[in-house]
Amino acid sequence: YDNNLTILYDFEIQENNENLFIYDMNGRIIKSVALNNKGFNKKEISLNGIKAGLYIISVQVGNETITEKLIIQ
């Protein structure tokens, strides 16, 4: 099956150098993706090579950090 993830931002990217991180449950960064476009966007991220399990997605937007769970089956 297709192992890509499309993330739709419902928050505004304020700086061109902000990043999205995917962490495993041990706190290790599994994937880092640059969010290059200011404003509201969507981003397709390849998850090829990432094993099934529970992960954390984290994005820092300005002074706020947005964190969500990610389950890969």
PDB file of all heavy atoms in Angstrom, residues 4-42:
ATOM      1  N   ASN A   4       2.600   7.001   2.208  1.00  0.00           N
ATOM      2  CA  ASN A   4       2.793   8.449   2.296  1.00  0.00           C
ATOM      3  C   ASN A   4       1.731   9.042   3.195  1.00  0.00           C
ATOM      4  O   ASN A   4       0.638   8.528   3.321  1.00  0.00           O
ATOM      5  CB  ASN A   4       2.722   9.104   0.919  1.00  0.00           C
ATOM      6  CG  ASN A   4       3.942   8.782   0.093  1.00  0.00           C
ATOM      7  OD1 ASN A   4       5.032   8.620   0.618  1.00  0.00           O
ATOM      8  ND2 ASN A   4       3.758   8.673  -1.202  1.00  0.00           N
ATOM      9  N   LEU A   5       2.072  10.117   3.805  1.00  0.00           N
ATOM     10  CA  LEU A   5       1.174  10.822   4.705  1.00  0.00           C
ATOM     11  C   LEU A   5       1.018  12.233   4.174  1.00  0.00           C
ATOM     12  O   LEU A   5       2.006  12.891   3.871  1.00  0.00           O
ATOM     13  CB  LEU A   5       1.795  10.853   6.110  1.00  0.00           C
ATOM     14  CG  LEU A   5       1.149  11.737   7.159  1.00  0.00           C
ATOM     15  CD1 LEU A   5      -0.218  11.174   7.529  1.00  0.00           C
ATOM     16  CD2 LEU A   5       2.033  11.811   8.394  1.00  0.00           C
ATOM     17  N   THR A   6      -0.209  12.692   4.033  1.00  0.00           N
ATOM     18  CA  THR A   6      -0.442  14.078   3.655  1.00  0.00           C
ATOM     19  C   THR A   6      -0.940  14.817   4.880  1.00  0.00           C
ATOM     20  O   THR A   6      -1.933  14.431   5.488  1.00  0.00           O
ATOM     21  CB  THR A   6      -1.467  14.189   2.511  1.00  0.00           C
ATOM     22  OG1 THR A   6      -0.964  13.485   1.388  1.00  0.00           O
ATOM     23  CG2 THR A   6      -1.696  15.638   2.138  1.00  0.00           C
ATOM     24  N   ILE A   7      -0.216  15.842   5.255  1.00  0.00           N
ATOM     25  CA  ILE A   7      -0.587  16.641   6.413  1.00  0.00           C
ATOM     26  C   ILE A   7      -1.153  17.961   5.918  1.00  0.00           C
ATOM     27  O   ILE A   7      -0.520  18.663   5.139  1.00  0.00           O
ATOM     28  CB  ILE A   7       0.634  16.892   7.312  1.00  0.00           C
ATOM     29  CG1 ILE A   7       1.110  15.567   7.889  1.00  0.00           C
ATOM     30  CG2 ILE A   7       0.297  17.877   8.418  1.00  0.00           C
ATOM     31  CD1 ILE A   7       2.355  15.671   8.702  1.00  0.00           C
ATOM     32  N   LEU A   8      -2.369  18.260   6.348  1.00  0.00           N
ATOM     33  CA  LEU A   8      -2.980  19.542   6.028  1.00  0.00           C
ATOM     34  C   LEU A   8      -2.784  20.451   7.233  1.00  0.00           C
ATOM     35  O   LEU A   8      -3.202  20.118   8.331  1.00  0.00           O
ATOM     36  CB  LEU A   8      -4.471  19.362   5.742  1.00  0.00           C
ATOM     37  CG  LEU A   8      -4.811  18.424   4.595  1.00  0.00           C
ATOM     38  CD1 LEU A   8      -6.315  18.254   4.490  1.00  0.00           C
ATOM     39  CD2 LEU A   8      -4.245  18.964   3.299  1.00  0.00           C
ATOM     40  N   TYR A   9      -2.144  21.582   7.032  1.00  0.00           N
ATOM     41  CA  TYR A   9      -1.926  22.506   8.134  1.00  0.00           C
ATOM     42  C   TYR A   9      -3.212  23.298   8.339  1.00  0.00           C
ATOM     43  O   TYR A   9      -3.740  23.865   7.415  1.00  0.00           O
ATOM     44  CB  TYR A   9      -0.858  23.532   7.829  1.00  0.00           C
ATOM     45  CG  TYR A   9       0.419  23.085   7.181  1.00  0.00           C
ATOM     46  CD1 TYR A   9       1.290  24.043   6.693  1.00  0.00           C
ATOM     47  CD2 TYR A   9       0.768  21.768   7.056  1.00  0.00           C
ATOM     48  CE1 TYR A   9       2.471  23.689   6.115  1.00  0.00           C
ATOM     49  CE2 TYR A   9       1.954  21.400   6.467  1.00  0.00           C
ATOM     50  CZ  TYR A   9       2.813  22.369   5.990  1.00  0.00           C
ATOM     51  OH  TYR A   9       3.986  22.020   5.406  1.00  0.00           O
ATOM     52  N   ASP A  10      -3.676  23.361   9.549  1.00  0.00           N
ATOM     53  CA  ASP A  10      -4.758  24.294   9.850  1.00  0.00           C
ATOM     54  C   ASP A  10      -4.225  25.398  10.754  1.00  0.00           C
ATOM     55  O   ASP A  10      -4.929  26.013  11.519  1.00  0.00           O
ATOM     56  CB  ASP A  10      -5.960  23.587  10.467  1.00  0.00           C
ATOM     57  CG  ASP A  10      -5.634  22.922  11.785  1.00  0.00           C
ATOM     58  OD1 ASP A  10      -4.449  22.868  12.152  1.00  0.00           O
ATOM     59  OD2 ASP A  10      -6.570  22.466  12.450  1.00  0.00           O
ATOM     60  N   PHE A  11      -2.923  25.611  10.652  1.00  0.00           N
ATOM     61  CA  PHE A  11      -2.256  26.699  11.348  1.00  0.00           C
ATOM     62  C   PHE A  11      -1.367  27.398  10.333  1.00  0.00           C
ATOM     63  O   PHE A  11      -1.048  26.850   9.295  1.00  0.00           O
ATOM     64  CB  PHE A  11      -1.431  26.179  12.526  1.00  0.00           C
ATOM     65  CG  PHE A  11      -0.507  25.054  12.167  1.00  0.00           C
ATOM     66  CD1 PHE A  11       0.764  25.301  11.690  1.00  0.00           C
ATOM     67  CD2 PHE A  11      -0.913  23.743  12.295  1.00  0.00           C
ATOM     68  CE1 PHE A  11       1.611  24.262  11.353  1.00  0.00           C
ATOM     69  CE2 PHE A  11      -0.077  22.700  11.965  1.00  0.00           C
ATOM     70  CZ  PHE A  11       1.193  22.963  11.490  1.00  0.00           C
ATOM     71  N   GLU A  12      -1.003  28.606  10.629  1.00  0.00           N
ATOM     72  CA  GLU A  12      -0.216  29.396   9.676  1.00  0.00           C
ATOM     73  C   GLU A  12       1.271  29.257   9.955  1.00  0.00           C
ATOM     74  O   GLU A  12       1.729  29.463  11.075  1.00  0.00           O
ATOM     75  CB  GLU A  12      -0.619  30.865   9.749  1.00  0.00           C
ATOM     76  CG  GLU A  12       0.073  31.701   8.703  1.00  0.00           C
ATOM     77  CD  GLU A  12      -0.419  33.136   8.675  1.00  0.00           C
ATOM     78  OE1 GLU A  12      -1.247  33.505   9.522  1.00  0.00           O
ATOM     79  OE2 GLU A  12       0.034  33.877   7.806  1.00  0.00           O
ATOM     80  N   ILE A  13       2.027  28.871   8.926  1.00  0.00           N
ATOM     81  CA  ILE A  13       3.478  28.837   9.014  1.00  0.00           C
ATOM     82  C   ILE A  13       3.954  30.281   8.894  1.00  0.00           C
ATOM     83  O   ILE A  13       3.669  30.958   7.909  1.00  0.00           O
ATOM     84  CB  ILE A  13       4.088  27.964   7.893  1.00  0.00           C
ATOM     85  CG1 ILE A  13       3.589  26.527   8.021  1.00  0.00           C
ATOM     86  CG2 ILE A  13       5.602  28.025   7.916  1.00  0.00           C
ATOM     87  CD1 ILE A  13       3.950  25.849   9.305  1.00  0.00           C
ATOM     88  N   GLN A  14       4.685  30.744   9.906  1.00  0.00           N
ATOM     89  CA  GLN A  14       5.072  32.147   9.958  1.00  0.00           C
ATOM     90  C   GLN A  14       6.478  32.401   9.437  1.00  0.00           C
ATOM     91  O   GLN A  14       6.783  33.483   8.983  1.00  0.00           O
ATOM     92  CB  GLN A  14       4.931  32.652  11.395  1.00  0.00           C
ATOM     93  CG  GLN A  14       3.502  32.539  11.880  1.00  0.00           C
ATOM     94  CD  GLN A  14       3.377  32.804  13.364  1.00  0.00           C
ATOM     95  OE1 GLN A  14       4.340  33.134  14.043  1.00  0.00           O
ATOM     96  NE2 GLN A  14       2.176  32.655  13.872  1.00  0.00           N
ATOM     97  N   GLU A  15       7.329  31.409   9.513  1.00  0.00           N
ATOM     98  CA  GLU A  15       8.716  31.548   9.080  1.00  0.00           C
ATOM     99  C   GLU A  15       9.037  30.448   8.080  1.00  0.00           C
ATOM    100  O   GLU A  15       8.489  29.361   8.163  1.00  0.00           O
ATOM    101  CB  GLU A  15       9.679  31.454  10.268  1.00  0.00           C
ATOM    102  CG  GLU A  15       9.463  32.502  11.328  1.00  0.00           C
ATOM    103  CD  GLU A  15       9.810  33.910  10.868  1.00  0.00           C
ATOM    104  OE1 GLU A  15      10.668  34.050   9.973  1.00  0.00           O
ATOM    105  OE2 GLU A  15       9.217  34.859  11.386  1.00  0.00           O
ATOM    106  N   ASN A  16       9.955  30.720   7.162  1.00  0.00           N
ATOM    107  CA  ASN A  16      10.313  29.733   6.157  1.00  0.00           C
ATOM    108  C   ASN A  16      11.204  28.617   6.683  1.00  0.00           C
ATOM    109  O   ASN A  16      11.470  27.670   5.988  1.00  0.00           O
ATOM    110  CB  ASN A  16      11.012  30.407   4.966  1.00  0.00           C
ATOM    111  CG  ASN A  16      10.024  31.117   4.077  1.00  0.00           C
ATOM    112  OD1 ASN A  16       8.850  30.747   4.025  1.00  0.00           O
ATOM    113  ND2 ASN A  16      10.478  32.126   3.375  1.00  0.00           N
ATOM    114  N   ASN A  17      11.678  28.711   7.910  1.00  0.00           N
ATOM    115  CA  ASN A  17      12.605  27.710   8.421  1.00  0.00           C
ATOM    116  C   ASN A  17      11.993  26.843   9.516  1.00  0.00           C
ATOM    117  O   ASN A  17      12.706  26.286  10.326  1.00  0.00           O
ATOM    118  CB  ASN A  17      13.890  28.370   8.930  1.00  0.00           C
ATOM    119  CG  ASN A  17      13.618  29.353  10.052  1.00  0.00           C
ATOM    120  OD1 ASN A  17      12.474  29.645  10.370  1.00  0.00           O
ATOM    121  ND2 ASN A  17      14.668  29.865  10.661  1.00  0.00           N
ATOM    122  N   GLU A  18      10.678  26.730   9.556  1.00  0.00           N
ATOM    123  CA  GLU A  18      10.044  25.895  10.569  1.00  0.00           C
ATOM    124  C   GLU A  18      10.070  24.438  10.115  1.00  0.00           C
ATOM    125  O   GLU A  18      10.091  24.137   8.928  1.00  0.00           O
ATOM    126  CB  GLU A  18       8.629  26.383  10.848  1.00  0.00           C
ATOM    127  CG  GLU A  18       8.670  27.787  11.446  1.00  0.00           C
ATOM    128  CD  GLU A  18       7.337  28.280  11.920  1.00  0.00           C
ATOM    129  OE1 GLU A  18       6.510  27.464  12.330  1.00  0.00           O
ATOM    130  OE2 GLU A  18       7.137  29.506  11.900  1.00  0.00           O
ATOM    131  N   ASN A  19      10.093  23.522  11.080  1.00  0.00           N
ATOM    132  CA  ASN A  19      10.212  22.108  10.775  1.00  0.00           C
ATOM    133  C   ASN A  19       9.131  21.291  11.456  1.00  0.00           C
ATOM    134  O   ASN A  19       8.643  21.658  12.517  1.00  0.00           O
ATOM    135  CB  ASN A  19      11.574  21.561  11.231  1.00  0.00           C
ATOM    136  CG  ASN A  19      12.703  22.105  10.400  1.00  0.00           C
ATOM    137  OD1 ASN A  19      12.784  21.837   9.222  1.00  0.00           O
ATOM    138  ND2 ASN A  19      13.566  22.887  11.020  1.00  0.00           N
ATOM    139  N   LEU A  20       8.802  20.180  10.834  1.00  0.00           N
ATOM    140  CA  LEU A  20       7.934  19.174  11.415  1.00  0.00           C
ATOM    141  C   LEU A  20       8.833  17.996  11.767  1.00  0.00           C
ATOM    142  O   LEU A  20       9.682  17.603  10.968  1.00  0.00           O
ATOM    143  CB  LEU A  20       6.878  18.759  10.392  1.00  0.00           C
ATOM    144  CG  LEU A  20       5.939  17.643  10.790  1.00  0.00           C
ATOM    145  CD1 LEU A  20       4.573  17.897  10.188  1.00  0.00           C
ATOM    146  CD2 LEU A  20       6.446  16.288  10.369  1.00  0.00           C
ATOM    147  N   PHE A  21       8.654  17.450  12.966  1.00  0.00           N
ATOM    148  CA  PHE A  21       9.448  16.314  13.407  1.00  0.00           C
ATOM    149  C   PHE A  21       8.538  15.145  13.715  1.00  0.00           C
ATOM    150  O   PHE A  21       7.450  15.336  14.268  1.00  0.00           O
ATOM    151  CB  PHE A  21      10.245  16.652  14.676  1.00  0.00           C
ATOM    152  CG  PHE A  21      11.256  17.739  14.470  1.00  0.00           C
ATOM    153  CD1 PHE A  21      10.979  19.039  14.832  1.00  0.00           C
ATOM    154  CD2 PHE A  21      12.481  17.450  13.909  1.00  0.00           C
ATOM    155  CE1 PHE A  21      11.914  20.044  14.644  1.00  0.00           C
ATOM    156  CE2 PHE A  21      13.425  18.456  13.711  1.00  0.00           C
ATOM    157  CZ  PHE A  21      13.136  19.756  14.077  1.00  0.00           C
ATOM    158  N   ILE A  22       8.973  13.947  13.381  1.00  0.00           N
ATOM    159  CA  ILE A  22       8.299  12.724  13.786  1.00  0.00           C
ATOM    160  C   ILE A  22       9.253  11.998  14.731  1.00  0.00           C
ATOM    161  O   ILE A  22      10.396  11.717  14.377  1.00  0.00           O
ATOM    162  CB  ILE A  22       7.928  11.840  12.586  1.00  0.00           C
ATOM    163  CG1 ILE A  22       6.971  12.603  11.652  1.00  0.00           C
ATOM    164  CG2 ILE A  22       7.289  10.530  13.055  1.00  0.00           C
ATOM    165  CD1 ILE A  22       6.591  11.868  10.394  1.00  0.00           C
ATOM    166  N   TYR A  23       8.772  11.734  15.948  1.00  0.00           N
ATOM    167  CA  TYR A  23       9.567  11.084  16.986  1.00  0.00           C
ATOM    168  C   TYR A  23       9.028   9.681  17.245  1.00  0.00           C
ATOM    169  O   TYR A  23       7.809   9.464  17.189  1.00  0.00           O
ATOM    170  CB  TYR A  23       9.452  11.846  18.312  1.00  0.00           C
ATOM    171  CG  TYR A  23      10.015  13.233  18.292  1.00  0.00           C
ATOM    172  CD1 TYR A  23       9.212  14.331  17.997  1.00  0.00           C
ATOM    173  CD2 TYR A  23      11.349  13.468  18.610  1.00  0.00           C
ATOM    174  CE1 TYR A  23       9.724  15.618  18.008  1.00  0.00           C
ATOM    175  CE2 TYR A  23      11.870  14.757  18.616  1.00  0.00           C
ATOM    176  CZ  TYR A  23      11.051  15.820  18.313  1.00  0.00           C
ATOM    177  OH  TYR A  23      11.562  17.095  18.318  1.00  0.00           O
ATOM    178  N   ASP A  24       9.925   8.749  17.601  1.00  0.00           N
ATOM    179  CA  ASP A  24       9.459   7.464  18.089  1.00  0.00           C
ATOM    180  C   ASP A  24       9.137   7.620  19.574  1.00  0.00           C
ATOM    181  O   ASP A  24       9.326   8.699  20.155  1.00  0.00           O
ATOM    182  CB  ASP A  24      10.454   6.339  17.807  1.00  0.00           C
ATOM    183  CG  ASP A  24      11.766   6.458  18.578  1.00  0.00           C
ATOM    184  OD1 ASP A  24      11.873   7.275  19.516  1.00  0.00           O
ATOM    185  OD2 ASP A  24      12.700   5.712  18.226  1.00  0.00           O
ATOM    186  N   MET A  25       8.652   6.565  20.204  1.00  0.00           N
ATOM    187  CA  MET A  25       8.230   6.664  21.597  1.00  0.00           C
ATOM    188  C   MET A  25       9.414   6.752  22.572  1.00  0.00           C
ATOM    189  O   MET A  25       9.217   6.968  23.758  1.00  0.00           O
ATOM    190  CB  MET A  25       7.310   5.494  21.958  1.00  0.00           C
ATOM    191  CG  MET A  25       5.990   5.539  21.188  1.00  0.00           C
ATOM    192  SD  MET A  25       5.148   7.145  21.220  1.00  0.00           S
ATOM    193  CE  MET A  25       4.680   7.266  22.926  1.00  0.00           C
ATOM    194  N   ASN A  26      10.639   6.619  22.063  1.00  0.00           N
ATOM    195  CA  ASN A  26      11.828   6.803  22.892  1.00  0.00           C
ATOM    196  C   ASN A  26      12.388   8.215  22.768  1.00  0.00           C
ATOM    197  O   ASN A  26      13.446   8.515  23.312  1.00  0.00           O
ATOM    198  CB  ASN A  26      12.910   5.788  22.511  1.00  0.00           C
ATOM    199  CG  ASN A  26      12.490   4.382  22.857  1.00  0.00           C
ATOM    200  OD1 ASN A  26      11.942   4.147  23.924  1.00  0.00           O
ATOM    201  ND2 ASN A  26      12.723   3.445  21.967  1.00  0.00           N
ATOM    202  N   GLY A  27      11.693   9.084  22.002  1.00  0.00           N
ATOM    203  CA  GLY A  27      12.112  10.472  21.854  1.00  0.00           C
ATOM    204  C   GLY A  27      13.133  10.717  20.759  1.00  0.00           C
ATOM    205  O   GLY A  27      13.637  11.818  20.631  1.00  0.00           O
ATOM    206  N   ARG A  28      13.442   9.682  19.972  1.00  0.00           N
ATOM    207  CA  ARG A  28      14.391   9.852  18.864  1.00  0.00           C
ATOM    208  C   ARG A  28      13.671  10.429  17.647  1.00  0.00           C
ATOM    209  O   ARG A  28      12.549  10.023  17.339  1.00  0.00           O
ATOM    210  CB  ARG A  28      15.016   8.517  18.486  1.00  0.00           C
ATOM    211  CG  ARG A  28      15.916   7.952  19.561  1.00  0.00           C
ATOM    212  CD  ARG A  28      16.522   6.648  19.099  1.00  0.00           C
ATOM    213  NE  ARG A  28      15.472   5.663  18.894  1.00  0.00           N
ATOM    214  CZ  ARG A  28      15.437   4.466  19.453  1.00  0.00           C
ATOM    215  NH1 ARG A  28      16.412   4.076  20.238  1.00  0.00           N
ATOM    216  NH2 ARG A  28      14.438   3.645  19.226  1.00  0.00           N
ATOM    217  N   ILE A  29      14.329  11.358  16.962  1.00  0.00           N
ATOM    218  CA  ILE A  29      13.760  11.914  15.735  1.00  0.00           C
ATOM    219  C   ILE A  29      13.882  10.872  14.631  1.00  0.00           C
ATOM    220  O   ILE A  29      14.975  10.423  14.312  1.00  0.00           O
ATOM    221  CB  ILE A  29      14.468  13.213  15.326  1.00  0.00           C
ATOM    222  CG1 ILE A  29      14.246  14.300  16.379  1.00  0.00           C
ATOM    223  CG2 ILE A  29      13.974  13.686  13.950  1.00  0.00           C
ATOM    224  CD1 ILE A  29      15.031  15.564  16.141  1.00  0.00           C
ATOM    225  N   ILE A  30      12.747  10.489  14.059  1.00  0.00           N
ATOM    226  CA  ILE A  30      12.693   9.513  12.975  1.00  0.00           C
ATOM    227  C   ILE A  30      12.713  10.221  11.630  1.00  0.00           C
ATOM    228  O   ILE A  30      13.278   9.749  10.657  1.00  0.00           O
ATOM    229  CB  ILE A  30      11.413   8.647  13.093  1.00  0.00           C
ATOM    230  CG1 ILE A  30      11.396   7.913  14.431  1.00  0.00           C
ATOM    231  CG2 ILE A  30      11.274   7.687  11.934  1.00  0.00           C
ATOM    232  CD1 ILE A  30      12.551   6.973  14.636  1.00  0.00           C
ATOM    233  N   LYS A  31      12.081  11.383  11.578  1.00  0.00           N
ATOM    234  CA  LYS A  31      11.983  12.136  10.324  1.00  0.00           C
ATOM    235  C   LYS A  31      11.873  13.613  10.648  1.00  0.00           C
ATOM    236  O   LYS A  31      11.217  14.008  11.603  1.00  0.00           O
ATOM    237  CB  LYS A  31      10.761  11.674   9.550  1.00  0.00           C
ATOM    238  CG  LYS A  31      10.655  12.235   8.166  1.00  0.00           C
ATOM    239  CD  LYS A  31      10.243  11.131   7.215  1.00  0.00           C
ATOM    240  CE  LYS A  31      10.324  11.598   5.809  1.00  0.00           C
ATOM    241  NZ  LYS A  31      11.105  10.746   4.981  1.00  0.00           N
ATOM    242  N   SER A  32      12.521  14.429   9.851  1.00  0.00           N
ATOM    243  CA  SER A  32      12.438  15.875   9.965  1.00  0.00           C
ATOM    244  C   SER A  32      12.090  16.423   8.588  1.00  0.00           C
ATOM    245  O   SER A  32      12.700  16.040   7.596  1.00  0.00           O
ATOM    246  CB  SER A  32      13.780  16.441  10.430  1.00  0.00           C
ATOM    247  OG  SER A  32      13.747  17.845  10.396  1.00  0.00           O
ATOM    248  N   VAL A  33      11.092  17.288   8.532  1.00  0.00           N
ATOM    249  CA  VAL A  33      10.630  17.832   7.257  1.00  0.00           C
ATOM    250  C   VAL A  33      10.560  19.348   7.363  1.00  0.00           C
ATOM    251  O   VAL A  33       9.931  19.889   8.282  1.00  0.00           O
ATOM    252  CB  VAL A  33       9.227  17.271   6.897  1.00  0.00           C
ATOM    253  CG1 VAL A  33       8.729  17.854   5.591  1.00  0.00           C
ATOM    254  CG2 VAL A  33       9.260  15.756   6.845  1.00  0.00           C
ATOM    255  N   ALA A  34      11.216  20.042   6.441  1.00  0.00           N
ATOM    256  CA  ALA A  34      11.167  21.505   6.408  1.00  0.00           C
ATOM    257  C   ALA A  34       9.807  21.958   5.889  1.00  0.00           C
ATOM    258  O   ALA A  34       9.281  21.411   4.925  1.00  0.00           O
ATOM    259  CB  ALA A  34      12.271  22.047   5.512  1.00  0.00           C
ATOM    260  N   LEU A  35       9.238  22.941   6.545  1.00  0.00           N
ATOM    261  CA  LEU A  35       7.984  23.562   6.111  1.00  0.00           C
ATOM    262  C   LEU A  35       8.367  24.894   5.496  1.00  0.00           C
ATOM    263  O   LEU A  35       8.576  25.872   6.196  1.00  0.00           O
ATOM    264  CB  LEU A  35       7.035  23.722   7.300  1.00  0.00           C
ATOM    265  CG  LEU A  35       6.711  22.433   8.048  1.00  0.00           C
ATOM    266  CD1 LEU A  35       5.832  22.727   9.250  1.00  0.00           C
ATOM    267  CD2 LEU A  35       6.051  21.416   7.131  1.00  0.00           C
ATOM    268  N   ASN A  36       8.487  24.914   4.182  1.00  0.00           N
ATOM    269  CA  ASN A  36       9.099  26.037   3.480  1.00  0.00           C
ATOM    270  C   ASN A  36       8.147  27.149   3.073  1.00  0.00           C
ATOM    271  O   ASN A  36       8.591  28.234   2.759  1.00  0.00           O
ATOM    272  CB  ASN A  36       9.820  25.535   2.224  1.00  0.00           C
ATOM    273  CG  ASN A  36      10.951  24.604   2.580  1.00  0.00           C
ATOM    274  OD1 ASN A  36      11.613  24.784   3.583  1.00  0.00           O
ATOM    275  ND2 ASN A  36      11.152  23.592   1.769  1.00  0.00           N
ATOM    276  N   ASN A  37       6.868  26.877   3.023  1.00  0.00           N
ATOM    277  CA  ASN A  37       5.936  27.865   2.484  1.00  0.00           C
ATOM    278  C   ASN A  37       5.167  28.550   3.595  1.00  0.00           C
ATOM    279  O   ASN A  37       4.456  27.913   4.351  1.00  0.00           O
ATOM    280  CB  ASN A  37       4.943  27.192   1.529  1.00  0.00           C
ATOM    281  CG  ASN A  37       5.643  26.552   0.355  1.00  0.00           C
ATOM    282  OD1 ASN A  37       6.649  27.062  -0.125  1.00  0.00           O
ATOM    283  ND2 ASN A  37       5.127  25.442  -0.111  1.00  0.00           N
ATOM    284  N   LYS A  38       5.326  29.865   3.677  1.00  0.00           N
ATOM    285  CA  LYS A  38       4.549  30.622   4.641  1.00  0.00           C
ATOM    286  C   LYS A  38       3.070  30.492   4.316  1.00  0.00           C
ATOM    287  O   LYS A  38       2.684  30.302   3.173  1.00  0.00           O
ATOM    288  CB  LYS A  38       4.942  32.097   4.603  1.00  0.00           C
ATOM    289  CG  LYS A  38       6.274  32.391   5.231  1.00  0.00           C
ATOM    290  CD  LYS A  38       6.507  33.888   5.245  1.00  0.00           C
ATOM    291  CE  LYS A  38       7.825  34.232   5.890  1.00  0.00           C
ATOM    292  NZ  LYS A  38       8.044  35.679   5.942  1.00  0.00           N
ATOM    293  N   GLY A  39       2.238  30.635   5.341  1.00  0.00           N
ATOM    294  CA  GLY A  39       0.802  30.594   5.145  1.00  0.00           C
ATOM    295  C   GLY A  39       0.231  29.220   5.431  1.00  0.00           C
ATOM    296  O   GLY A  39       0.848  28.388   6.073  1.00  0.00           O
ATOM    297  N   PHE A  40      -0.985  28.981   4.918  1.00  0.00           N
ATOM    298  CA  PHE A  40      -1.691  27.726   5.129  1.00  0.00           C
ATOM    299  C   PHE A  40      -1.392  26.810   3.948  1.00  0.00           C
ATOM    300  O   PHE A  40      -1.528  27.216   2.803  1.00  0.00           O
ATOM    301  CB  PHE A  40      -3.194  27.976   5.247  1.00  0.00           C
ATOM    302  CG  PHE A  40      -3.537  28.796   6.464  1.00  0.00           C
ATOM    303  CD1 PHE A  40      -3.609  30.175   6.388  1.00  0.00           C
ATOM    304  CD2 PHE A  40      -3.769  28.188   7.676  1.00  0.00           C
ATOM    305  CE1 PHE A  40      -3.916  30.935   7.500  1.00  0.00           C
ATOM    306  CE2 PHE A  40      -4.083  28.940   8.805  1.00  0.00           C
ATOM    307  CZ  PHE A  40      -4.157  30.314   8.710  1.00  0.00           C
ATOM    308  N   ASN A  41      -0.988  25.580   4.213  1.00  0.00           N
ATOM    309  CA  ASN A  41      -0.522  24.678   3.172  1.00  0.00           C
ATOM    310  C   ASN A  41      -0.904  23.245   3.471  1.00  0.00           C
ATOM    311  O   ASN A  41      -1.503  22.940   4.487  1.00  0.00           O
ATOM    312  CB  ASN A  41       1.020  24.726   3.090  1.00  0.00           C
ATOM    313  CG  ASN A  41       1.541  26.033   2.604  1.00  0.00           C
ATOM    314  OD1 ASN A  41       1.564  26.275   1.423  1.00  0.00           O
ATOM    315  ND2 ASN A  41       1.947  26.890   3.524  1.00  0.00           N
ATOM    316  N   LYS A  42      -0.468  22.360   2.574  1.00  0.00           N
ATOM    317  CA  LYS A  42      -0.478  20.938   2.861  1.00  0.00           C
ATOM    318  C   LYS A  42       0.859  20.376   2.410  1.00  0.00           C
ATOM    319  O   LYS A  42       1.531  20.945   1.545  1.00  0.00           O
ATOM    320  CB  LYS A  42      -1.636  20.219   2.181  1.00  0.00           C
ATOM    321  CG  LYS A  42      -1.570  20.158   0.682  1.00  0.00           C
ATOM    322  CD  LYS A  42      -2.763  19.405   0.141  1.00  0.00           C
ATOM    323  CE  LYS A  42      -2.703  19.332  -1.373  1.00  0.00           C
ATOM    324  NZ  LYS A  42      -3.829  18.578  -1.903  1.00  0.00           N
TER     325      LYS A  42
END
